[in-house]
Structure formats: structure tokens, C-alpha cells
mmCIF file of all heavy atoms in Angstrom:
data_model
loop_
_atom_site.group_PDB
_atom_site.id
_atom_site.type_symbol
_atom_site.label_atom_id
_atom_site.label_comp_id
_atom_site.label_asym_id
_atom_site.label_seq_id
_atom_site.Cartn_x
_atom_site.Cartn_y
_atom_site.Cartn_z
ATOM 1 N N GLU A 1 -17.558 3.100 54.413
ATOM 2 C CA GLU A 1 -16.579 2.693 55.359
ATOM 3 C C GLU A 1 -15.091 2.810 54.815
ATOM 4 O O GLU A 1 -14.211 3.319 55.463
ATOM 5 C CB GLU A 1 -16.802 1.115 55.639
ATOM 6 C CG GLU A 1 -15.631 0.422 56.429
ATOM 7 C CD GLU A 1 -15.806 -0.985 56.492
ATOM 8 O OE1 GLU A 1 -16.952 -1.551 56.247
ATOM 9 O OE2 GLU A 1 -14.866 -1.691 56.589
ATOM 10 N N ILE A 2 -15.046 2.638 53.457
ATOM 11 C CA ILE A 2 -13.699 2.858 52.760
ATOM 12 C C ILE A 2 -13.225 4.374 52.876
ATOM 13 O O ILE A 2 -12.167 4.708 53.157
ATOM 14 C CB ILE A 2 -13.758 2.277 51.405
ATOM 15 C CG1 ILE A 2 -13.938 0.834 51.332
ATOM 16 C CG2 ILE A 2 -12.537 2.776 50.619
ATOM 17 C CD1 ILE A 2 -14.230 0.253 49.922
ATOM 18 N N GLU A 3 -14.241 5.223 52.672
ATOM 19 C CA GLU A 3 -13.961 6.641 52.701
ATOM 20 C C GLU A 3 -13.653 7.093 54.209
ATOM 21 O O GLU A 3 -12.748 7.903 54.400
ATOM 22 C CB GLU A 3 -15.235 7.392 52.195
ATOM 23 C CG GLU A 3 -14.899 8.919 52.297
ATOM 24 C CD GLU A 3 -16.081 9.743 51.701
ATOM 25 O OE1 GLU A 3 -17.009 9.141 51.151
ATOM 26 O OE2 GLU A 3 -16.046 11.011 51.756
ATOM 27 N N PHE A 4 -14.296 6.477 54.993
ATOM 28 C CA PHE A 4 -14.083 6.837 56.551
ATOM 29 C C PHE A 4 -12.672 6.481 57.014
ATOM 30 O O PHE A 4 -12.096 7.229 57.595
ATOM 31 C CB PHE A 4 -15.138 5.991 57.319
ATOM 32 C CG PHE A 4 -14.955 5.956 58.900
ATOM 33 C CD1 PHE A 4 -15.470 7.181 59.539
ATOM 34 C CD2 PHE A 4 -14.232 4.958 59.534
ATOM 35 C CE1 PHE A 4 -15.335 7.203 60.856
ATOM 36 C CE2 PHE A 4 -14.250 4.980 60.875
ATOM 37 C CZ PHE A 4 -14.654 6.181 61.527
ATOM 38 N N LEU A 5 -12.187 5.259 56.519
ATOM 39 C CA LEU A 5 -10.825 4.912 56.866
ATOM 40 C C LEU A 5 -9.736 5.685 56.133
ATOM 41 O O LEU A 5 -8.729 5.878 56.649
ATOM 42 C CB LEU A 5 -10.763 3.396 56.728
ATOM 43 C CG LEU A 5 -11.347 2.431 57.589
ATOM 44 C CD1 LEU A 5 -11.282 1.048 57.187
ATOM 45 C CD2 LEU A 5 -10.912 2.560 59.038
ATOM 46 N N ALA A 6 -10.015 5.908 54.860
ATOM 47 C CA ALA A 6 -9.074 6.556 54.032
ATOM 48 C C ALA A 6 -8.902 8.117 54.337
ATOM 49 O O ALA A 6 -7.779 8.534 54.408
ATOM 50 C CB ALA A 6 -9.438 6.375 52.538
ATOM 51 N N LYS A 7 -10.027 8.814 54.572
ATOM 52 C CA LYS A 7 -10.019 10.152 54.644
ATOM 53 C C LYS A 7 -10.713 10.784 55.891
ATOM 54 O O LYS A 7 -10.598 11.878 56.258
ATOM 55 C CB LYS A 7 -10.732 10.775 53.388
ATOM 56 C CG LYS A 7 -10.008 10.456 52.108
ATOM 57 C CD LYS A 7 -10.893 11.041 50.905
ATOM 58 C CE LYS A 7 -10.333 10.559 49.603
ATOM 59 N NZ LYS A 7 -11.059 10.963 48.481
ATOM 60 N N GLY A 8 -11.505 9.918 56.455
ATOM 61 C CA GLY A 8 -12.323 10.371 57.767
ATOM 62 C C GLY A 8 -13.466 11.360 57.247
ATOM 63 O O GLY A 8 -13.929 12.032 58.194
ATOM 64 N N THR A 9 -13.943 11.239 56.042
ATOM 65 C CA THR A 9 -15.006 11.954 55.653
ATOM 66 C C THR A 9 -16.198 11.076 55.097
ATOM 67 O O THR A 9 -16.100 9.792 55.327
ATOM 68 C CB THR A 9 -14.682 12.743 54.248
ATOM 69 O OG1 THR A 9 -14.102 11.956 53.330
ATOM 70 C CG2 THR A 9 -13.547 13.811 54.623
ATOM 71 N N GLY A 10 -17.317 11.664 54.742
ATOM 72 C CA GLY A 10 -18.541 10.946 54.392
ATOM 73 C C GLY A 10 -19.442 10.823 55.438
ATOM 74 O O GLY A 10 -19.557 11.559 56.410
ATOM 75 N N SER A 11 -20.528 10.000 55.103
ATOM 76 C CA SER A 11 -21.776 9.926 56.097
ATOM 77 C C SER A 11 -21.402 9.280 57.390
ATOM 78 O O SER A 11 -22.033 9.516 58.384
ATOM 79 C CB SER A 11 -22.893 9.072 55.336
ATOM 80 O OG SER A 11 -22.550 7.782 55.022
ATOM 81 N N LEU A 12 -20.476 8.245 57.446
ATOM 82 C CA LEU A 12 -20.167 7.718 58.637
ATOM 83 C C LEU A 12 -19.723 8.466 59.838
ATOM 84 O O LEU A 12 -20.271 8.408 60.908
ATOM 85 C CB LEU A 12 -19.249 6.411 58.408
ATOM 86 C CG LEU A 12 -19.786 5.135 57.989
ATOM 87 C CD1 LEU A 12 -18.758 4.072 57.681
ATOM 88 C CD2 LEU A 12 -20.847 4.585 59.041
ATOM 89 N N PRO A 13 -18.650 9.346 59.692
ATOM 90 C CA PRO A 13 -18.319 10.140 60.766
ATOM 91 C C PRO A 13 -19.448 11.066 61.264
ATOM 92 O O PRO A 13 -19.470 11.338 62.412
ATOM 93 C CB PRO A 13 -17.099 10.899 60.271
ATOM 94 C CG PRO A 13 -17.167 10.842 58.767
ATOM 95 C CD PRO A 13 -17.799 9.532 58.576
ATOM 96 N N ALA A 14 -20.178 11.665 60.297
ATOM 97 C CA ALA A 14 -21.259 12.537 60.720
ATOM 98 C C ALA A 14 -22.273 11.679 61.482
ATOM 99 O O ALA A 14 -22.957 12.153 62.533
ATOM 100 C CB ALA A 14 -21.974 13.025 59.534
ATOM 101 N N PHE A 15 -22.549 10.441 61.146
ATOM 102 C CA PHE A 15 -23.516 9.534 61.835
ATOM 103 C C PHE A 15 -22.999 9.292 63.189
ATOM 104 O O PHE A 15 -23.653 9.314 64.271
ATOM 105 C CB PHE A 15 -23.755 8.337 61.021
ATOM 106 C CG PHE A 15 -24.341 7.143 61.855
ATOM 107 C CD1 PHE A 15 -25.702 7.250 62.266
ATOM 108 C CD2 PHE A 15 -23.644 6.071 62.194
ATOM 109 C CE1 PHE A 15 -26.349 6.157 63.068
ATOM 110 C CE2 PHE A 15 -24.178 5.019 62.925
ATOM 111 C CZ PHE A 15 -25.570 5.088 63.321
ATOM 112 N N LEU A 16 -21.655 8.913 63.279
ATOM 113 C CA LEU A 16 -21.007 8.564 64.576
ATOM 114 C C LEU A 16 -20.992 9.713 65.573
ATOM 115 O O LEU A 16 -21.277 9.480 66.760
ATOM 116 C CB LEU A 16 -19.603 7.999 64.367
ATOM 117 C CG LEU A 16 -19.599 6.676 63.717
ATOM 118 C CD1 LEU A 16 -18.164 6.323 63.244
ATOM 119 C CD2 LEU A 16 -20.058 5.583 64.594
ATOM 120 N N LYS A 17 -20.785 10.898 65.028
ATOM 121 C CA LYS A 17 -20.862 12.166 65.889
ATOM 122 C C LYS A 17 -22.286 12.396 66.372
ATOM 123 O O LYS A 17 -22.472 12.823 67.545
ATOM 124 C CB LYS A 17 -20.326 13.413 65.065
ATOM 125 C CG LYS A 17 -18.866 13.435 64.911
ATOM 126 C CD LYS A 17 -18.449 14.614 64.021
ATOM 127 C CE LYS A 17 -16.889 14.464 63.690
ATOM 128 N NZ LYS A 17 -16.514 15.540 62.794
ATOM 129 N N GLN A 18 -23.201 12.192 65.526
ATOM 130 C CA GLN A 18 -24.617 12.316 65.877
ATOM 131 C C GLN A 18 -25.121 11.427 67.080
ATOM 132 O O GLN A 18 -25.881 11.855 67.944
ATOM 133 C CB GLN A 18 -25.612 12.103 64.703
ATOM 134 C CG GLN A 18 -27.042 12.458 64.979
ATOM 135 C CD GLN A 18 -27.957 12.197 63.754
ATOM 136 O OE1 GLN A 18 -27.375 11.913 62.607
ATOM 137 N NE2 GLN A 18 -29.120 12.235 63.793
ATOM 138 N N ILE A 19 -24.619 10.304 67.146
ATOM 139 C CA ILE A 19 -24.911 9.331 68.108
ATOM 140 C C ILE A 19 -23.801 9.373 69.338
ATOM 141 O O ILE A 19 -23.900 8.515 70.205
ATOM 142 C CB ILE A 19 -25.072 7.983 67.703
ATOM 143 C CG1 ILE A 19 -23.856 7.348 67.077
ATOM 144 C CG2 ILE A 19 -26.266 7.834 66.693
ATOM 145 C CD1 ILE A 19 -23.991 5.850 66.701
ATOM 146 N N ARG A 20 -22.925 10.253 69.227
ATOM 147 C CA ARG A 20 -21.803 10.449 70.202
ATOM 148 C C ARG A 20 -20.971 9.247 70.426
ATOM 149 O O ARG A 20 -20.642 8.841 71.552
ATOM 150 C CB ARG A 20 -22.333 10.848 71.462
ATOM 151 C CG ARG A 20 -23.103 12.265 71.373
ATOM 152 C CD ARG A 20 -23.710 12.720 72.701
ATOM 153 N NE ARG A 20 -24.411 14.051 72.534
ATOM 154 C CZ ARG A 20 -24.999 14.534 73.539
ATOM 155 N NH1 ARG A 20 -25.080 14.081 74.789
ATOM 156 N NH2 ARG A 20 -25.685 15.762 73.464
ATOM 157 N N ALA A 21 -20.591 8.506 69.266
ATOM 158 C CA ALA A 21 -19.857 7.267 69.396
ATOM 159 C C ALA A 21 -18.465 7.456 69.074
ATOM 160 O O ALA A 21 -17.680 6.585 69.159
ATOM 161 C CB ALA A 21 -20.468 6.178 68.573
ATOM 162 N N ILE A 22 -17.929 8.585 68.563
ATOM 163 C CA ILE A 22 -16.707 8.841 67.990
ATOM 164 C C ILE A 22 -15.926 9.855 68.890
ATOM 165 O O ILE A 22 -16.539 10.918 69.113
ATOM 166 C CB ILE A 22 -16.638 9.202 66.535
ATOM 167 C CG1 ILE A 22 -15.225 9.127 66.003
ATOM 168 C CG2 ILE A 22 -17.264 10.473 66.184
ATOM 169 C CD1 ILE A 22 -15.276 9.131 64.459
ATOM 170 N N PRO A 23 -14.737 9.586 69.325
ATOM 171 C CA PRO A 23 -13.999 10.671 70.047
ATOM 172 C C PRO A 23 -13.663 11.886 69.206
ATOM 173 O O PRO A 23 -13.597 11.844 68.036
ATOM 174 C CB PRO A 23 -12.728 9.952 70.410
ATOM 175 C CG PRO A 23 -12.930 8.465 70.261
ATOM 176 C CD PRO A 23 -14.016 8.359 69.207
ATOM 177 N N ASP A 24 -13.632 13.067 69.880
ATOM 178 C CA ASP A 24 -13.390 14.363 69.143
ATOM 179 C C ASP A 24 -12.052 14.363 68.452
ATOM 180 O O ASP A 24 -11.840 14.855 67.459
ATOM 181 C CB ASP A 24 -13.503 15.403 70.156
ATOM 182 C CG ASP A 24 -14.898 15.675 70.660
ATOM 183 O OD1 ASP A 24 -15.868 15.305 69.977
ATOM 184 O OD2 ASP A 24 -15.049 16.170 71.793
ATOM 185 N N ASN A 25 -10.991 13.544 69.014
ATOM 186 C CA ASN A 25 -9.782 13.569 68.496
ATOM 187 C C ASN A 25 -9.495 12.477 67.430
ATOM 188 O O ASN A 25 -8.306 12.192 67.121
ATOM 189 C CB ASN A 25 -8.690 13.621 69.605
ATOM 190 C CG ASN A 25 -8.684 12.329 70.428
ATOM 191 O OD1 ASN A 25 -9.733 11.535 70.282
ATOM 192 N ND2 ASN A 25 -7.751 12.171 71.246
ATOM 193 N N TRP A 26 -10.565 11.595 67.058
ATOM 194 C CA TRP A 26 -10.248 10.471 66.129
ATOM 195 C C TRP A 26 -9.757 11.086 64.812
ATOM 196 O O TRP A 26 -10.193 11.940 64.218
ATOM 197 C CB TRP A 26 -11.615 9.900 65.936
ATOM 198 C CG TRP A 26 -11.399 8.558 65.112
ATOM 199 C CD1 TRP A 26 -11.102 7.299 65.532
ATOM 200 C CD2 TRP A 26 -11.537 8.435 63.725
ATOM 201 N NE1 TRP A 26 -11.131 6.493 64.441
ATOM 202 C CE2 TRP A 26 -11.330 7.065 63.403
ATOM 203 C CE3 TRP A 26 -11.859 9.367 62.744
ATOM 204 C CZ2 TRP A 26 -11.390 6.682 62.049
ATOM 205 C CZ3 TRP A 26 -11.873 8.956 61.498
ATOM 206 C CH2 TRP A 26 -11.592 7.691 60.967
ATOM 207 N N GLN A 27 -8.818 10.214 64.378
ATOM 208 C CA GLN A 27 -8.160 10.675 63.011
ATOM 209 C C GLN A 27 -8.210 9.358 62.047
ATOM 210 O O GLN A 27 -7.925 8.331 62.566
ATOM 211 C CB GLN A 27 -6.736 11.089 63.206
ATOM 212 C CG GLN A 27 -6.557 12.562 63.905
ATOM 213 C CD GLN A 27 -5.178 12.944 63.837
ATOM 214 O OE1 GLN A 27 -4.213 12.194 63.934
ATOM 215 N NE2 GLN A 27 -5.066 14.360 63.888
ATOM 216 N N ALA A 28 -8.524 9.620 60.877
ATOM 217 C CA ALA A 28 -8.456 8.531 59.866
ATOM 218 C C ALA A 28 -7.060 7.967 59.782
ATOM 219 O O ALA A 28 -6.118 8.740 59.564
ATOM 220 C CB ALA A 28 -9.014 9.038 58.450
ATOM 221 N N PRO A 29 -7.106 6.527 59.790
ATOM 222 C CA PRO A 29 -5.741 5.984 59.562
ATOM 223 C C PRO A 29 -5.115 6.059 58.133
ATOM 224 O O PRO A 29 -3.928 5.764 57.960
ATOM 225 C CB PRO A 29 -5.980 4.600 59.939
ATOM 226 C CG PRO A 29 -7.431 4.258 59.650
ATOM 227 C CD PRO A 29 -8.089 5.572 59.929
ATOM 228 N N GLY A 30 -5.935 6.490 57.139
ATOM 229 C CA GLY A 30 -5.486 6.646 55.835
ATOM 230 C C GLY A 30 -5.164 5.302 55.242
ATOM 231 O O GLY A 30 -4.118 5.161 54.444
ATOM 232 N N LEU A 31 -5.927 4.104 55.464
ATOM 233 C CA LEU A 31 -5.665 2.793 55.118
ATOM 234 C C LEU A 31 -6.899 2.182 54.439
ATOM 235 O O LEU A 31 -7.997 2.765 54.641
ATOM 236 C CB LEU A 31 -5.282 1.946 56.185
ATOM 237 C CG LEU A 31 -4.002 2.378 56.956
ATOM 238 C CD1 LEU A 31 -3.831 1.567 58.281
ATOM 239 C CD2 LEU A 31 -2.761 1.994 56.098
ATOM 240 N N THR A 32 -6.756 1.218 53.610
ATOM 241 C CA THR A 32 -7.903 0.358 53.145
ATOM 242 C C THR A 32 -8.364 -0.473 54.400
ATOM 243 O O THR A 32 -7.631 -0.595 55.357
ATOM 244 C CB THR A 32 -7.566 -0.534 51.939
ATOM 245 O OG1 THR A 32 -6.667 -1.507 52.435
ATOM 246 C CG2 THR A 32 -6.943 0.357 50.793
ATOM 247 N N PRO A 33 -9.572 -0.993 54.156
ATOM 248 C CA PRO A 33 -9.995 -1.875 55.314
ATOM 249 C C PRO A 33 -9.041 -3.030 55.701
ATOM 250 O O PRO A 33 -8.820 -3.325 56.871
ATOM 251 C CB PRO A 33 -11.411 -2.216 54.833
ATOM 252 C CG PRO A 33 -11.926 -1.239 53.983
ATOM 253 C CD PRO A 33 -10.655 -0.673 53.326
ATOM 254 N N ILE A 34 -8.733 -3.795 54.714
ATOM 255 C CA ILE A 34 -7.943 -4.841 55.054
ATOM 256 C C ILE A 34 -6.535 -4.462 55.470
ATOM 257 O O ILE A 34 -5.892 -5.111 56.387
ATOM 258 C CB ILE A 34 -7.733 -5.763 53.765
ATOM 259 C CG1 ILE A 34 -9.089 -6.472 53.390
ATOM 260 C CG2 ILE A 34 -6.804 -6.985 54.077
ATOM 261 C CD1 ILE A 34 -9.749 -7.219 54.429
ATOM 262 N N GLN A 35 -5.928 -3.376 54.880
ATOM 263 C CA GLN A 35 -4.671 -2.808 55.481
ATOM 264 C C GLN A 35 -4.730 -2.449 57.026
ATOM 265 O O GLN A 35 -3.935 -2.789 57.878
ATOM 266 C CB GLN A 35 -4.312 -1.557 54.786
ATOM 267 C CG GLN A 35 -3.675 -1.867 53.381
ATOM 268 C CD GLN A 35 -3.451 -0.568 52.543
ATOM 269 O OE1 GLN A 35 -4.063 0.506 52.958
ATOM 270 N NE2 GLN A 35 -2.638 -0.608 51.616
ATOM 271 N N TYR A 36 -5.975 -1.976 57.402
ATOM 272 C CA TYR A 36 -6.223 -1.495 58.630
ATOM 273 C C TYR A 36 -6.357 -2.805 59.656
ATOM 274 O O TYR A 36 -5.660 -2.842 60.712
ATOM 275 C CB TYR A 36 -7.652 -0.819 58.877
ATOM 276 C CG TYR A 36 -7.946 -0.319 60.228
ATOM 277 C CD1 TYR A 36 -7.268 0.787 60.776
ATOM 278 C CD2 TYR A 36 -8.999 -1.023 60.799
ATOM 279 C CE1 TYR A 36 -7.684 1.214 62.102
ATOM 280 C CE2 TYR A 36 -9.397 -0.538 62.105
ATOM 281 C CZ TYR A 36 -8.724 0.579 62.677
ATOM 282 O OH TYR A 36 -9.108 1.030 63.983
ATOM 283 N N LEU A 37 -7.092 -3.733 59.164
ATOM 284 C CA LEU A 37 -7.155 -5.042 59.991
ATOM 285 C C LEU A 37 -5.761 -5.635 60.123
ATOM 286 O O LEU A 37 -5.397 -6.094 61.253
ATOM 287 C CB LEU A 37 -8.093 -6.068 59.329
ATOM 288 C CG LEU A 37 -9.577 -5.921 59.350
ATOM 289 C CD1 LEU A 37 -10.213 -7.030 58.879
ATOM 290 C CD2 LEU A 37 -10.000 -5.575 60.901
ATOM 291 N N ASN A 38 -4.915 -5.548 59.050
ATOM 292 C CA ASN A 38 -3.575 -6.219 59.183
ATOM 293 C C ASN A 38 -2.791 -5.486 60.165
ATOM 294 O O ASN A 38 -1.963 -6.045 60.869
ATOM 295 C CB ASN A 38 -2.994 -6.055 57.796
ATOM 296 C CG ASN A 38 -1.882 -7.106 57.545
ATOM 297 O OD1 ASN A 38 -1.873 -8.235 58.175
ATOM 298 N ND2 ASN A 38 -0.892 -6.816 56.694
ATOM 299 N N GLU A 39 -2.960 -4.212 60.370
ATOM 300 C CA GLU A 39 -2.246 -3.508 61.416
ATOM 301 C C GLU A 39 -2.611 -3.712 62.771
ATOM 302 O O GLU A 39 -1.862 -3.684 63.718
ATOM 303 C CB GLU A 39 -2.273 -2.006 61.078
ATOM 304 C CG GLU A 39 -1.414 -1.449 60.012
ATOM 305 C CD GLU A 39 -1.058 0.074 60.115
ATOM 306 O OE1 GLU A 39 -1.506 0.732 61.046
ATOM 307 O OE2 GLU A 39 -0.196 0.558 59.352
ATOM 308 N N THR A 40 -3.804 -4.177 63.070
ATOM 309 C CA THR A 40 -4.355 -4.559 64.315
ATOM 310 C C THR A 40 -3.978 -5.835 64.842
ATOM 311 O O THR A 40 -3.915 -6.173 66.023
ATOM 312 C CB THR A 40 -5.954 -4.398 64.428
ATOM 313 O OG1 THR A 40 -6.375 -5.652 63.514
ATOM 314 C CG2 THR A 40 -6.502 -3.099 63.793
ATOM 315 N N GLY A 41 -3.261 -6.722 63.884
ATOM 316 C CA GLY A 41 -2.943 -8.024 64.270
ATOM 317 C C GLY A 41 -3.998 -9.098 64.065
ATOM 318 O O GLY A 41 -3.795 -10.250 64.429
ATOM 319 N N ILE A 42 -5.233 -8.678 63.804
ATOM 320 C CA ILE A 42 -6.315 -9.642 63.833
ATOM 321 C C ILE A 42 -6.261 -10.711 62.802
ATOM 322 O O ILE A 42 -6.829 -11.744 63.031
ATOM 323 C CB ILE A 42 -7.665 -8.890 63.969
ATOM 324 C CG1 ILE A 42 -8.761 -9.716 64.750
ATOM 325 C CG2 ILE A 42 -8.242 -8.539 62.445
ATOM 326 C CD1 ILE A 42 -9.783 -8.922 65.222
ATOM 327 N N LEU A 43 -5.574 -10.410 61.725
ATOM 328 C CA LEU A 43 -5.472 -11.363 60.658
ATOM 329 C C LEU A 43 -4.642 -12.565 60.873
ATOM 330 O O LEU A 43 -4.881 -13.720 60.309
ATOM 331 C CB LEU A 43 -4.956 -10.675 59.349
ATOM 332 C CG LEU A 43 -5.880 -9.661 58.603
ATOM 333 C CD1 LEU A 43 -5.223 -9.107 57.352
ATOM 334 C CD2 LEU A 43 -7.271 -10.250 58.216
ATOM 335 N N ARG A 44 -3.897 -12.490 61.905
ATOM 336 C CA ARG A 44 -3.111 -13.701 62.313
ATOM 337 C C ARG A 44 -3.922 -14.822 62.984
ATOM 338 O O ARG A 44 -3.606 -15.829 63.165
ATOM 339 C CB ARG A 44 -1.944 -13.352 63.179
ATOM 340 C CG ARG A 44 -2.289 -12.870 64.585
ATOM 341 C CD ARG A 44 -1.073 -12.756 65.475
ATOM 342 N NE ARG A 44 -1.370 -12.284 66.805
ATOM 343 C CZ ARG A 44 -0.512 -12.220 67.891
ATOM 344 N NH1 ARG A 44 0.592 -12.802 67.624
ATOM 345 N NH2 ARG A 44 -0.930 -11.834 69.026
ATOM 346 N N ASN A 45 -5.216 -14.365 63.266
ATOM 347 C CA ASN A 45 -6.151 -15.303 63.925
ATOM 348 C C ASN A 45 -6.987 -16.137 62.855
ATOM 349 O O ASN A 45 -7.919 -16.769 63.278
ATOM 350 C CB ASN A 45 -7.131 -14.507 64.838
ATOM 351 C CG ASN A 45 -6.487 -13.915 65.990
ATOM 352 O OD1 ASN A 45 -5.993 -14.603 66.927
ATOM 353 N ND2 ASN A 45 -6.350 -12.595 66.122
ATOM 354 N N HIS A 46 -6.634 -15.946 61.531
ATOM 355 C CA HIS A 46 -7.463 -16.683 60.520
ATOM 356 C C HIS A 46 -8.868 -16.388 60.721
ATOM 357 O O HIS A 46 -9.742 -17.177 60.774
ATOM 358 C CB HIS A 46 -7.246 -17.970 60.524
ATOM 359 C CG HIS A 46 -5.756 -18.460 60.587
ATOM 360 N ND1 HIS A 46 -4.870 -18.098 59.647
ATOM 361 C CD2 HIS A 46 -5.054 -19.107 61.420
ATOM 362 C CE1 HIS A 46 -3.552 -18.607 59.906
ATOM 363 N NE2 HIS A 46 -3.740 -19.217 61.047
ATOM 364 N N PRO A 47 -9.290 -15.107 60.836
ATOM 365 C CA PRO A 47 -10.669 -14.615 61.167
ATOM 366 C C PRO A 47 -11.696 -14.913 60.042
ATOM 367 O O PRO A 47 -11.290 -15.148 58.904
ATOM 368 C CB PRO A 47 -10.589 -13.189 61.291
ATOM 369 C CG PRO A 47 -9.428 -12.688 60.489
ATOM 370 C CD PRO A 47 -8.392 -13.866 60.533
#
């Protein structure tokens, strides 16, 4: 998961392509998981 978000590489994108769950134009945000959540605004919900 960390590699997926940071670089868009590894086993997860291959798996998601295999099950047709990821858009062709998807790009890695280049963030850590918590940085990514923080950008979505979800952390303000005290999740």
C-alpha cells in the first residue's frame, strides 16, 4: 500500500488492473498513507 501511494508500483496496481478496478489514467499521489488521508479531509472527522 505504501509503495502504491508513493510510486504507483508493486503488486497492488497489477492486482487492481487484473480485476479492472483501477482507471487507466490513475496516478500515484506520491504521499504516505496518512499524508494522503490528511489531504482528503477525512482526518477532521476523528476517524
Side-chain angles (χ1 to χ4, degrees):
E1 176 189 330
I2 293 168
E3 183 180 350
F4 174 79
L5 289 173
K7 302 175 183 177
T9 55
S11 63
L12 274 175
F15 166 69
L16 293 168
K17 286 175 183 176
Q18 186 176 352
I19 63 172
R20 299 180 180 178
I22 189 169
D24 292 335
N25 62 348
W26 184 88
Q27 290 187 333
L31 300 169
T32 68
I34 296 299
Q35 286 174 337
Y36 181 74
L37 283 190
N38 204 25
E39 283 207 354
T40 69
I42 209 158
L43 289 184
R44 70 173 177 164
N45 293 295
H46 312 300

